[in-house]
């Protein structure tokens, strides 16, 4: 950067030419810190105002500053490196963890439970203390912001267990859009899956992430949520990821889903769980899966064909017409399946019309 950054505590300059030079190139310092995975833009701005950031050795207290790759930036005296390519992880959040960097009540956060070899990441949205399921993590503040914007319009899907006996009439206000405590909630996709005793399971889809939105909306129609699981966030699925596990998406998936241009899209990431079952490939004109109309059920034990018999015939096995149960036409020949009257023959069998051969 040609010009030195402003000194600590300095505000915007009155020199318009200097201001134009400041914004002519580079990027805002808060955006750079966010891209480097230090913090979100808002958190980076608070860090700057607290005097924790230095540019070229000069402490800054205002985020109104553009920097370039040539500038030396430190946070808490730790150098900030060049931003990595955008990365996204899927995390199966368990209940009992707070989605925040630090909790004023001393409760355990998701960052306390993440693997030690994880880089510094940020959460995309939140899941409250008692909610579980899919939580996206990223190292890029720009990706975080993009995924959280309502204009993105990505559908978030949840499975909710509610206490009560919901009916279509009760759920209709949620489908039209409901106002709770003066706050307008957008229409939700709500489906009743099954009633299980005093509880019922619902599948809920929404396109915004307000604080405790589903719980508050259910309470407004007389239902109490006692379990809430997020199963998808846009195109990203929880699948069979176990509680507490983390899985990184491949860079190509990140690039394709977010429309990003990556310098190195070939990077490897943690493979997806091998236990994930994919639906069978449909044949042209077919529909449904196994057991559905139009396709046969999967073969069971009764459907297993008998083993093939091969490898030659047994010694002394009948040949020719005798093998088909017909008389061979030779003197003394017996029809197959008609035992003679020898001792030990099957009870009730008719004796042979010919006596035993005399010994020579």
């Amino acid at each position: 950067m040609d010009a030195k950054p402003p000194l600590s505590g300095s505000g915007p300059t009155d020199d318009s030419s200097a201001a134009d030079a400041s914004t002519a190139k580079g990027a805002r310092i808060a955006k750079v810190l966010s891209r480097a995975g230090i913090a979100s833009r808002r958190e980076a701005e608070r860090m700057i105002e607290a005097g924790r950031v230095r540019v070229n050795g000069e402490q800054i207290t205002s985020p109104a500053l553009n920097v370039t790759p040539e500038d030396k930036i430190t946070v808490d005296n730790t150098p900030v490196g060049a931003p990595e390519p955008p990365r996204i992880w899927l995390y199966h959040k368990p209940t009992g963890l707070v989605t925040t960097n630090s909790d004023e009540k001393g409760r355990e956060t998701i960052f306390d439970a993440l693997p030690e070899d994880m880089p510094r990441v940020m959460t995309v949205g939140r899941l409250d203390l008692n909610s579980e399921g899919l939580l996206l993590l990223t190292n890029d503040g720009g990706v975080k912001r993009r995924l959280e914007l309502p204009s993105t319009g990505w559908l978030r899907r949840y499975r909710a267990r509610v206490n009560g006996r919901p009916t279509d009439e009760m759920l209709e206000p949620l489908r039209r859009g409901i106002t709770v405590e003066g706050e307008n909630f957008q229409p939700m996709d709500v489906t009743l899956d099954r009633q299980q005793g005093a509880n019922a399971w619902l599948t809920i889809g929404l396109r915004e992430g307000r604080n405790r939105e589903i719980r508050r909306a259910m309470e407004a129609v007389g239902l109490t949520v006692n379990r809430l699981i997020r199963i998808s966030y846009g195109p990203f699925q929880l699948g069979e990821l176990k509680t507490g596990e983390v899985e990184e998406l491949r860079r190509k998936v990140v690039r394709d889903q977010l429309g990003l241009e990556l310098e190195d899209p070939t990077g490897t990431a943690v493979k997806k769980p091998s236990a994930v079952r994919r639906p069978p490939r449909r044949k042209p004109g077919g529909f449904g899966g196994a057991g559905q109309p139009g396709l046969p059920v999967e073969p069971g034990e009764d459907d297993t064909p008998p083993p093939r018999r091969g490898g030659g015939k047994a010694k002394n096995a009948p040949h020719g017409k005798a093998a088909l149960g017909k008389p061979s036409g030779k003197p003394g020949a017996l029809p197959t399946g008609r035992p003679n009257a020898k001792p030990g023959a099957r009870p009730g069998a008719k004796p042979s019309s010919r006596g035993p051969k005399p010994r020579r």
Side-chain angles (χ1 to χ4, degrees), residues 2-256:
D2 298 334
K4 289 186 176 181
L7 297 177
S8 174
S10 62
T13 177
D14 293 333
D15 188 352
S16 59
S17 61
D20 293 339
S22 174
T23 58
K25 61 180 181 177
R28 289 285 186 179
I29 178 66
K31 181 178 180 180
V32 172
L33 295 177
S34 177
R35 284 291 315 278
I38 301 299
S40 66
R41 286 196 195 183
R42 291 183 181 179
E43 292 171 346
E45 290 174 356
R46 287 193 287 267
M47 295 169 69
I48 293 169
E49 292 168 355
R52 298 170 56 186
V53 180
R54 291 177 177 270
V55 178
N56 299 326
E58 298 285 344
Q59 185 184 49
I60 62 172
T61 57
S62 171
L65 172 69
N66 279 31
V67 292
T68 66
E70 289 75 24
D71 291 311
K72 308 298 182 183
I73 306 172
T74 60
V75 176
D76 297 332
N77 297 322
T78 301
V80 176
E84 294 183 348
R87 300 166 70 184
I88 295 178
W89 291 261
L90 310 181
Y91 173 52
H92 189 159
K93 175 193 174 298
T95 58
L97 298 181
V98 184
T99 309
T100 184
N101 291 320
S102 60
D103 183 62
E104 64 279 2
K105 298 181 180 178
R107 295 172 294 185
E108 187 178 10
T109 73
I110 65 162
F111 299 101
D112 298 326
L114 290 177
E116 294 183 357
D117 59 349
M118 283 283 292
R120 185 165 185 171
V121 294
M122 297 164 279
T123 64
V124 177
R126 293 172 177 267
L127 285 175
D128 62 36
L129 179 70
N130 296 318
S131 297
E132 56 191 295
L134 179 62
L135 185 64
L136 299 183
L137 308 173
T138 180
N139 66 329
D140 191 294
V143 170
K144 168 184 168 70
R145 178 176 174 81
R146 178 183 300 190
L147 297 183
E148 289 178 341
L149 286 175
S151 59
T152 304
W154 273 357
L155 184 71
R156 290 92 153 165
R157 295 176 62 244
Y158 298 78
R159 293 293 309 284
R161 188 179 65 191
V162 298
N163 183 254
R165 295 185 175 274
T167 62
D168 280 340
E169 185 179 357
M170 295 174 62
L171 301 176
E172 190 59 31
L174 304 178
R175 296 168 179 150
R176 294 196 307 262
I178 192 172
T179 300
V180 179
E181 298 175 351
E183 191 172 2
N184 296 325
F185 292 161
Q186 292 183 7
M188 303 179 182
D189 299 331
V190 187
T191 304
L192 175 60
D193 296 329
R194 71 178 184 272
Q195 185 74 39
Q196 193 173 26
N199 295 318
W201 279 98
L202 307 173
T203 297
I204 304 170
L206 48 86
R207 299 185 182 277
E208 59 182 356
R210 297 177 183 269
N211 183 33
R212 301 182 72 251
E213 181 173 356
I214 293 178
R215 297 179 188 274
R216 294 163 60 196
M218 290 296 165
E219 290 175 0
V221 297
L223 299 171
T224 302
V225 176
N226 50 40
R227 190 175 182 188
L228 187 61
I229 310 168
R230 182 153 68 191
I231 58 176
S232 68
Y233 193 109
F236 307 119
Q237 307 288 325
L238 180 63
E240 296 190 10
L241 194 65
K242 296 180 180 179
T243 303
E245 285 188 346
V246 181
E247 174 191 346
E248 183 180 0
L249 295 175
R250 297 186 181 277
R251 292 185 187 175
K252 184 178 185 302
V253 175
V254 177
R255 179 197 64 187
D256 293 345

